[in-house]
Amino acid sequence: MNTIELFHSLTFYAMYGAAALAVFVIIERQIFYMAGRRDAKSVIKSNCIRRP
C-alpha cells in the first residue's frame, strides 16, 4: 500500500469516526431536550411559575 492509499484510508476512517460522533451527539441532545421539556412541564403544572 503506497502513501496516497494510506492517507486515503485514514481520511475515510476519520470521516466515519466523525459521523459516528455526530450521530451520538444528536441522540444525546434529543434526550437532554426531552428531559428538559418534561421537567419544565412539571414545573408549570405545579404552579411555581405563573403563565401570562
Side-chain angles (χ1 to χ4, degrees):
M1 181 182 274
N2 63 20
T3 307
I4 301 267
E5 291 175 358
L6 176 64
F7 285 135
H8 182 265
S9 296
L10 290 175
T11 301
F12 271 86
Y13 288 134
M15 287 192 306
Y16 293 144
L21 180 63
V23 168
F24 172 78
V25 169
I26 289 168
I27 292 170
E28 186 270 336
R29 289 284 95 192
Q30 289 297 319
I31 292 170
F32 176 78
Y33 290 135
M34 286 189 308
R37 184 173 42 227
R38 183 190 65 223
D39 292 344
K41 283 181 181 179
S42 69
V43 168
I44 290 172
K45 276 187 178 180
S46 69
N47 291 324
C48 291
I49 297 176
R50 301 181 104 189
R51 288 189 274 181

